[in-house]
Amino acid sequence: MTQAPTAQPPSRRRHDREIIALAVPAFGALVAEPLFVMVDSAIVGHLGTPQLAGLAVAAALLTTAVSIFVFLAYATTAAVARQVGAGDLASAIRQGMDGIWLALLIGAAVIAVTLPLAPWLVEIFGASDTATPYAITYLRISSLGIPAMLVVLAATGVLRGLQDTRTPLYVAIGGFAANGALNAGLVYGAGMGIAGSAWGTVIAQMGMAIAYLVVVVRGAHRHGASLRPDAKGIRASAQAGVPLLIRTLSLRAVLMIATAVAARLGDTDIAAHQIILSLWSLTAFALDAIAIAGQAIIGRYLGANDVKGAREACRRMVQWGIVSGVVLGALIVLARPLFVPLFTSDTSVQDTLLPALLVVALSQPVSGVVFVLDGVLMGAGDGRYLAWAMVLTLAVFAPAALLVPHLGGGLTALWGAMTLMMTVRLMTLWVRTRSGRWIVTGATR
């Protein structure tokens, strides 16, 4: 007699619904963000090679500047989710406003630095003489949109903390569409060249920031939360963000070292490395979507003093991370004959990247767990531990990567070092999660 399949426990089904409801829209919003630069590149590319080269340098500077302050989203998500779990929506939005005010202050400071130093920054990145004026123009104009970009980060954190990832998806889609239309109209219709591309992007970013602020302000009025800047709250938001800033800088250092080592291996290796890094970044978006769900869900459970719910959600998300990693790894292996020729027809580059790509595929389950646990600890507000863990990881990775050119192994060995980096992150995050010291309940940590 055939036994009926055992039904999933109600708690598991509940966690699955929560994860899917938050992760799927978050993934869509994450994928929409890099499309901004792709649209700019496609439109500016038809103006000429110097213009495209100038855009590449300026975009790299802008992306670095904004990614450094991604803690505005992460720290705000955790703080708001805790207040939501505690049932205090007014305080949740109030904390979110503190993050938004901090974003505006940081954005103003970045503009004050970028405008006068734009020529120097472009020179550091090694722009050619023909590309330099275009890079300076794009950088100076686009820097005016940095406060809006940072407000978008902070407001995204507010909505994620409120368990809403759909609104950021809609805003991202609207911003992407507006950016494309404005770029095309200003670059070609108005004949403004690369300056038109920069202004189109700035206007689209400001529109996104305004859309977020309308949503947050409405929520504040509905729940009686103050919109005025509060020095104490802004200071608390900054203090919560410092450890995550250290974590982000350490992670950026890992990527910069990897690229520098690949460049020392030769043109073929750096070309193959860039292709693999692009693919690795794409898989990171999928895994980061689960991490974002983890930030919001864990913060809410801890705010509600539900330790059991937090542990169960963590366990379930780890399982999601493993499965997602296995699926992504299999897709990389199975689809490589299809996507590799899209990036390059150079057989030497293809031969170089294929074994390294296999290393990346095999490491995806490790990456899946790392992203999830990273999100869990962020949601718990355990930023100090995340900072020191990432610094330790950098200390292990740097010598291993720098030895690659001397010990041999080429690009495959370099991505072996990247896998070592992810393994060290897994160990540090797993130890912390198993210890239970991240579980601090209450409306604030």
Side-chain angles (χ1 to χ4, degrees):
M1 180 176 178
T2 304
Q3 189 175 1
T6 305
Q8 279 190 325
S11 61
R12 177 175 293 185
R13 290 200 299 270
R14 184 179 73 249
H15 292 314
D16 287 345
R17 286 195 298 269
E18 287 182 334
I19 294 167
I20 292 171
L22 291 172
V24 172
F27 174 69
L30 288 168
V31 171
E33 291 173 10
L35 293 178
F36 271 75
V37 177
M38 291 179 63
V39 168
D40 289 2
S41 299
I43 292 174
V44 171
H46 291 286
L47 295 174
T49 300
Q51 290 90 334
L52 183 58
L55 170 65
V57 171
L61 284 163
L62 290 164
T63 301
T64 299
V66 174
S67 65
I68 287 173
F69 301 113
V70 73
F71 70 82
L72 289 166
Y74 294 158
T76 304
T77 298
V80 171
R82 277 183 176 270
Q83 295 289 354
V84 169
D88 190 348
L89 291 179
S91 295
I93 296 174
R94 173 65 263 175
Q95 288 207 321
M97 284 305 305
D98 292 336
I100 290 173
W101 282 113
L102 177 62
L104 287 170
L105 291 174
I106 293 174
V110 173
I111 288 178
V113 171
T114 304
L115 287 178
L117 296 181
W120 178 72
L121 292 170
V122 169
E123 183 182 354
I124 287 178
F125 264 64
S128 67
D129 292 340
T130 55
T132 291
Y134 298 112
I136 293 172
T137 297
Y138 192 92
L139 180 60
R140 280 180 167 161
I141 296 173
S142 293
S143 67
L144 301 178
I146 287 178
M149 295 168 73
L150 299 186
V151 166
V152 167
L153 284 177
T156 299
V158 175
L159 295 180
R160 288 173 180 171
L162 293 170
Q163 318 296 296
D164 176 10
T165 56
R166 290 183 179 273
T167 300
L169 173 60
Y170 300 147
V171 174
I173 293 173
F176 170 69
N179 180 60
L182 286 166
N183 268 260
L186 294 176
V187 171
Y188 299 118
M192 295 175 64
I194 195 170
S197 176
W199 279 117
T201 300
V202 168
I203 294 169
Q205 290 162 346
M206 288 182 173
M208 292 173 67
I210 291 170
Y212 274 116
L213 289 175
V214 167
V215 174
V216 174
V217 168
R218 284 178 177 173
H221 287 322
R222 187 162 57 248
H223 298 288
S226 174
L227 297 172
R228 294 179 179 179
D230 175 62
K232 183 179 179 181
I234 294 172
R235 188 165 54 250
S237 293
Q239 290 172 346
V242 167
L244 294 179
L245 175 61
I246 294 172
R247 168 200 168 275
T248 300
L249 288 173
S250 299
L251 184 56
R252 295 294 299 183
V254 165
L255 299 177
M256 289 174 65
I257 290 171
T259 300
V261 170
R264 291 177 62 185
L265 295 174
D267 291 347
T268 298
D269 291 85
I270 186 63
H273 173 75
Q274 185 58 38
I275 294 171
I276 295 174
L277 188 61
S278 299
L279 181 65
W280 190 75
S281 299
L282 181 61
T283 62
F285 285 132
L287 299 175
D288 202 29
I290 304 175
I292 288 170
Q295 293 172 31
I297 293 170
I298 294 298
R300 192 189 75 234
Y301 275 120
L302 294 179
N305 297 310
D306 187 352
V307 174
K308 180 182 178 183
R311 287 188 180 276
E312 288 179 349
C314 174
R315 189 178 303 112
R316 188 57 180 158
M317 280 184 285
V318 167
Q319 293 169 354
W320 271 76
I322 294 171
V323 172
S324 299
V326 170
V327 171
L328 287 172
L331 285 175
I332 290 172
V333 172
L334 295 175
R336 73 175 187 266
L338 300 176
F339 67 77
V340 169
L342 296 177
F343 287 97
T344 180
S345 58
D346 189 326
T347 54
S348 62
V349 174
Q350 292 182 1
D351 292 342
T352 300
L353 72 81
L354 287 176
L357 200 60
L358 182 59
V359 173
V360 173
L362 293 174
S363 68
Q364 286 304 299
V366 172
S367 297
V369 179
V370 167
F371 275 81
V372 166
L373 294 182
D374 206 41
V376 166
L377 296 185
M378 281 186 191
D382 202 9
R384 188 182 297 272
Y385 181 83
L386 288 172
W388 288 114
M390 197 61 226
V391 169
L392 172 63
T393 301
L394 174 60
V396 173
F397 169 77
L402 293 173
L403 284 173
V404 168
H406 303 287
L407 298 180
L411 191 65
T412 302
L414 176 59
W415 277 94
M418 288 287 285
T419 301
L420 171 65
M421 179 270 296
M422 294 301 291
T423 303
V424 173
R425 289 186 70 188
L426 174 62
M427 292 171 60
T428 57
L429 297 174
W430 186 263
V431 167
R432 184 65 167 183
T433 307
R434 292 287 294 176
S435 73
R437 296 179 64 183
W438 58 279
I439 299 178
V440 179
T441 58
T444 57
R445 184 177 172 87

